[in-house]
Amino acid sequence: MVDRVVGQLSLADALALSDTTQLDQIATVIDWMPIRALLGQRSGPGKGNTSYPAETLLRCLFLGVWNNLSDPALEMQLRDRLSFRRFAGFSLSDRT
């Protein structure tokens, strides 16, 4: 299984940049490096579908808990809200 590459920003992402949100501020305050090291890699040897990186999934979990969203509702909000996409690390062209 291989980790998906998420967050490759494009011209469309730069054009869609809006004002700084509370989620942007939270993302800059948290030191993600130790968390990333703690989480490690999700992928392992062998075949299988690509998986999202562990940090992306943790950020999505935070969004779901902070906003009291079910998994389907979180998925819908990730497709709809730019602030959610930025916080989770998805570019406009990434599949959610």
Side-chain angles (χ1 to χ4, degrees), residues 33-68:
M33 291 303 280
I35 296 170
R36 216 175 281 134
L38 235 163
L39 293 172
Q41 293 281 10
R42 291 192 66 232
S43 59
K47 298 181 181 191
N49 291 333
T50 57
S51 65
Y52 289 104
E55 180 185 345
T56 300
L57 294 176
L58 180 65
R59 287 176 180 233
C60 288
L61 179 66
F62 287 156
L63 289 170
V65 169
W66 292 337
N67 294 282
N68 197 27

Side-chain angles (χ1 to χ4, degrees), residues 3-55:
D3 282 346
R4 292 181 187 199
V5 177
V6 296
Q8 182 69 32
L9 300 180
S10 66
L11 176 62
D13 290 296
L15 293 175
L17 189 63
S18 63
D19 294 334
T20 303
T21 66
Q22 189 174 17
L23 290 175
D24 294 325
Q25 293 171 352
I26 291 170
T28 58
V29 169
I30 295 174
D31 185 8
W32 293 102
M33 291 303 280
I35 296 170
R36 216 175 281 134
L38 235 163
L39 293 172
Q41 293 281 10
R42 291 192 66 232
S43 59
K47 298 181 181 191
N49 291 333
T50 57
S51 65
Y52 289 104
E55 180 185 345

Side-chain angles (χ1 to χ4, degrees), residues 7-17 78-79 81-82 85-86 89-96:
Q8 182 69 32
L9 300 180
S10 66
L11 176 62
D13 290 296
L15 293 175
L17 189 63
L78 281 168
R79 279 192 239 118
R81 297 177 69 175
L82 291 175
R85 290 185 79 77
R86 273 198 316 264
F90 290 113
S91 72
L92 291 175
S93 59
D94 287 330
R95 293 181 58 196
T96 56

